Amino acid sequence: MHIRKQRLLTPGPTPLLPRALHAMMASDIHHRTPDFIKLYPLVLADLKEVYGTKGDVLITVSSGTGGLEASISNFFSEGDTIIIASAGKFGERWAELAKAYRLNAVVLTAEYGDVVAPERIEQALRENPSAQGVAFQASETSTGAAHDVRAIAEIVKKTGALCIVDAITGLGTMTLDIDNWGLDIVVGGSQKAFMIPPGLAFISVSEKAWTHNATAKLPRLYFDLKKEKKMADKGESAWTPNVSLILALAESLKYIRSLGMDKLIENAELLAKATRSAAAALGLELFAPNSPSSSVTAIRSPKGMDSSEIVKGFRSQFGSIIANGQGSMKGQIFRIAHLGYFDFADLFAVIAELELVLYSKGFPVELGTGVAAVQKVYAEAALKPPAA
Ligand SMILES: *Cc1c(COP(=O)(O)O)cnc(C)c1O
């Protein structure tokens, strides 16, 4: 009989920033009054700063998928060719969206755990010179693999196609130099590295993307980004916004700015590195060893052990919620998140829990070896060695 605190440790939703959560209590304001119209432009300006772009960044009231849908419906016409680099469950979502909107999708797939090489995209663009866009995930959350965004953007930039990035777990975990690399559309989501609950999507739109928007004929209404921009320029949102989440976002953006976006990214990178090091120390295999993302680390379950057992062990023994694999990866992998409001103390706990869960299932573990690996990464990064 022990106390078990519930800890939400998944790659979305992620742990909430307390002051953002508290700010939500003040949501008894109307969105067409000066109170809101003073707040909203500041939030949009901070969002632009955190994105690191001079272009527009708009907000839709939806989960991340609404932002992905808007990236299709606002910039294409029926029958347009789109090249999709699909490396997992979220890549498959791009393909589903393209199909739903009757685009001609050229889908390049990678095995789960791998990514699509930039050269394959280059070749697909050569074979489909009329392609209007290339869509992919910066970080494929379902497998823990990351695409080479910069190399892909360099290729797409030379063509008339838009570079469309699902960066829902890429933002805040990897460098994305939107303007210099030529990322035309970059989609984010509130429940990932932004440290607040689900319900908002963010979409950056480049000048090149607005040019496509001017002739794009797909039907749209709720997610009409042109209308959203027109209203945003007046300090308002097109429809009734999720005021409580806008208040939370204001606080989380303030926090991210005070920390520095580069530091938030470095934090995720270090936690990911420490997690990989712990996995190696425990004799566990990574699912995406060749191009691991810093948003989430996917680890293969030991041979003969269903990863659902590990996920269940975390919950029943410690109250910790970690992610299983999705789709056909369910039962094979478990995923440890690093994006947003995670720190080293969280990771010490997660790896200690992992050791105990594996130990209780009869997997040979020398208790403390994984934790020591994490401590070593922390010590190297954050501590000065003691004077000799
Ligand atoms: C979380 C996530 C999404 C968005 O999913 P929603 O449930 O609609 O918020 C999209 N792409 C990636 C890579 C994600 O991690």
Side-chain angles (χ1 to χ4, degrees):
M1 286 298 105
H2 314 288
I3 290 178
R4 281 170 304 194
K5 290 190 192 175
Q6 177 169 303
R7 289 184 172 84
L8 185 57
L9 302 166
T10 54
T14 60
L16 301 175
L17 182 73
R19 68 167 95 150
L21 192 58
H22 302 156
M24 296 176 77
M25 295 291 285
S27 53
D28 54 343
I29 57 177
H30 191 281
H31 59 286
R32 303 292 178 213
T33 60
D35 279 348
F36 187 80
I37 294 166
K38 211 162 61 194
L39 169 75
Y40 198 56
L42 296 177
V43 172
L44 288 171
D46 282 356
L47 188 58
K48 257 170 88 135
E49 186 183 322
V50 162
Y51 255 68
T53 177
K54 294 200 166 55
D56 295 295
V57 184
L58 302 168
I59 299 176
T60 59
V61 175
S62 66
S63 78
T65 305
L68 302 182
E69 177 151 344
S71 312
I72 300 292
S73 64
N74 282 270
F75 303 101
F76 294 86
S77 302
E78 189 172 331
D80 277 355
T81 296
I82 183 171
I83 293 164
I84 291 167
S86 171
K89 298 308 289 178
F90 291 103
E92 288 158 23
R93 194 167 297 179
W94 275 133
E96 282 171 51
L97 276 164
K99 189 172 168 216
Y101 279 97
R102 303 202 175 98
L103 300 186
N104 168 37
V106 176
V107 183
L108 312 172
T109 58
E111 297 251 352
Y112 289 168
D114 278 334
V115 289
V116 177
E119 298 73 43
R120 290 180 62 200
I121 293 170
E122 191 165 34
Q123 189 187 342
L125 278 165
R126 262 200 310 270
E127 288 165 5
N128 299 277
S130 66
Q132 296 290 309
V134 174
F136 59 100
Q137 272 61 38
S139 147
E140 173 51 75
T141 320
S142 67
T143 67
H147 274 112
D148 188 340
V149 180
R150 185 178 195 167
I152 295 171
E154 225 158 74
I155 291 161
V156 181
K157 200 177 175 178
K158 293 183 206 133
T159 72
L162 297 178
C163 185
I164 304 172
V165 190
D166 169 355
I168 294 176
T169 52
L171 283 160
T173 67
M174 58 203 280
T175 301
L176 296 169
D177 191 344
I178 295 175
D179 297 348
N180 289 318
W181 295 359
L183 311 181
D184 295 301
I185 296 162
V186 177
V187 182
S190 57
Q191 82 276 30
K192 309 283 171 123
F194 290 91
M195 314 173 186
I196 62 174
L200 296 176
F202 317 125
I203 307 156
S204 72
V205 184
S206 71
E207 278 305 321
K208 182 175 171 184
W210 283 126
T211 313
H212 282 237
N213 171 261
T215 55
K217 293 193 183 61
L218 282 178
R220 68 195 83 108
L221 184 104
Y222 187 66
F223 292 133
D224 185 338
L225 295 181
K226 191 83 184 283
K227 180 176 171 71
E228 203 58 63
K229 173 169 164 53
K230 209 170 133 203
M231 293 300 285
D233 286 346
K234 290 193 280 189
E236 295 186 54
S237 58
W239 320 102
T240 307
N242 195 332
V243 174
S244 56
L245 283 178
I246 301 290
L247 289 165
L249 181 62
E251 285 304 316
S252 75
L253 292 173
K254 229 182 270 172
Y255 177 72
I256 294 170
R257 285 177 57 224
S258 70
L259 185 71
M261 187 62 157
D262 55 332
K263 291 290 172 204
L264 179 67
I265 293 168
E266 194 185 304
N267 184 72
E269 287 172 345
L270 268 179
L271 293 176
K273 181 182 167 190
T275 303
R276 293 193 293 271
S277 168
L282 292 169
L284 298 172
E285 261 180 72
L286 301 177
F287 189 64
N290 299 325
S291 44
S293 89
S294 295
S295 65
V296 60
T297 299
I299 299 175
R300 283 183 196 276
S301 195
K303 274 208 174 53
M305 197 186 294
D306 189 311
S307 68
S308 311
E309 290 299 312
I310 297 172
V311 173
K312 247 188 252 161
F314 267 87
R315 196 173 56 226
S316 63
Q317 293 177 40
F318 300 104
S320 294
I321 318 287
I322 65 159
N324 202 329
Q326 293 168 257
S328 64
M329 291 169 278
K330 189 165 181 196
Q332 294 186 37
I333 60 172
F334 59 94
R335 293 174 295 149
I336 296 175
H338 320 298
L339 69 172
Y341 200 52
F342 282 94
D343 69 3
F344 264 94
D346 289 326
L347 191 58
F348 297 147
V350 168
I351 299 300
E353 290 173 46
L354 173 62
E355 290 179 2
L356 287 163
V357 168
L358 292 174
Y359 180 80
S360 71
K361 311 254 170 247
F363 180 75
V365 180
E366 173 112 32
L367 293 178
T369 47
V371 176
V374 177
Q375 288 174 313
K376 202 157 159 240
V377 171
Y378 176 83
E380 277 164 13
L383 301 182
K384 283 203 172 56

